[in-house]
Amino acid sequence: MNAGIQGATFTVVNRCQSTIWPGILANAGSQPLDSTGFELPSGGTRTFQAPPSWSGRFWGRTGCQFDPSTNQGTCLTGDCGSNQIECNGQNAKPPATLAEFTVAPAGGQDYYDVSLVDGYNLPIVVEPMGGSGGTCSSTGCVTDLNRRCPSELRSACPRAYSYAYDDASSTFTCSGADYMITFCPSSTR
C-alpha cells in the first residue's frame, strides 16, 4: 500500500498485562477515525485508516469500568469525560501519555511525537513502517515512570516530548509511512 497517497494506517497494539481502553481525538478540521474509544484486551490489536492531512492523538485509558448494558462508565487514568467507551471528541484528562500525529498529503512529511506534556500514565512506542526521509525512526517512552519518579524524569525518556516547545529532540518526520502504536512495549504477558 502506498501510505502517502491514501493517508496512513495506524495499528494500535496492547502489550500491557491487562486490558486498556485507547482513546482517539482528531484535531479541529480532521474527521474522526472509525472509533474515538474502544476496549483492547492484553495482546490485542486494532487498525485504523487515516486520510491524508489527518491530525490527532491516541492515548491509553486504564482502570476503566463500563456498564455492559449502557457502555457508560469512567477510567482511573486518561479518562476523556464522555462517560462512554467512545470519547466522542473529548480529550484525555491528565495524566496521559499521548501519541500525536499530523499525516501529510501525498509527497509530504508526516510529523509525530510521543508527548508527556499532559503527564504520564502508560509506556508507549510509535514505530513508522515503510516510510522514508526525515527522522523516520521509532520514538516513545518505554520506562514506567510511575515506578521510577521523580529522579528518572531527567533522563528516562529523552526522545519523548516532555515540555512545551521540546521540538529539537522529540518531533519526528517521515514520508509515506504507516504507524504502529504499542502500549507497554517491553511488557511480558
Side-chain angles (χ1 to χ4, degrees):
M1 176 170 128
N2 188 339
I5 295 172
Q6 298 182 4
T9 300
F10 294 103
T11 302
V12 181
V13 179
N14 179 8
R15 289 199 184 136
C16 300
Q17 294 179 4
S18 59
T19 298
I20 61 170
W21 289 260
I24 305 171
L25 176 64
N27 291 345
S30 288
Q31 66 186 45
L33 300 183
D34 292 341
S35 177
T36 60
F38 57 98
E39 182 176 342
L40 192 61
S42 180
T45 63
R46 184 156 174 191
T47 302
F48 296 90
Q49 181 64 43
S53 301
W54 183 85
S55 64
R57 54 182 48 180
F58 294 77
W59 70 94
R61 296 176 287 167
T62 66
C64 301
Q65 301 233 344
F66 291 102
D67 183 312
S69 61
T70 65
N71 284 336
Q72 293 188 333
T74 59
C75 302
L76 293 177
T77 70
D79 192 68
C80 54
S82 68
N83 196 36
Q84 299 176 354
I85 292 176
E86 293 280 340
C87 287
N88 298 321
Q90 300 294 312
N91 202 356
K93 179 181 175 187
T97 312
L98 307 174
E100 302 174 313
F101 297 89
T102 298
V103 178
Q109 285 190 331
D110 301 339
Y111 289 85
Y112 59 99
D113 65 70
V114 170
S115 174
L116 305 179
V117 173
D118 289 344
Y120 168 90
N121 71 330
L122 283 172
I124 188 172
V125 167
V126 173
E127 299 173 87
M129 301 181 314
S132 62
T135 51
C136 198
S137 61
S138 65
T139 185
C141 186
V142 297
T143 302
D144 186 344
L145 295 180
N146 289 330
R147 293 184 187 176
R148 300 184 182 264
C149 191
S151 62
E152 288 288 322
L153 287 177
R154 290 187 202 97
S155 63
C157 302
R159 295 170 61 100
Y161 203 87
S162 55
Y163 60 91
Y165 312 109
D166 187 16
D167 297 314
S169 65
S170 308
T171 301
F172 295 81
T173 59
C174 200
S175 296
D178 292 322
Y179 299 92
M180 182 175 294
I181 304 162
T182 305
F183 291 96
C184 307
S186 59
S187 289
T188 56
R189 292 179 293 129

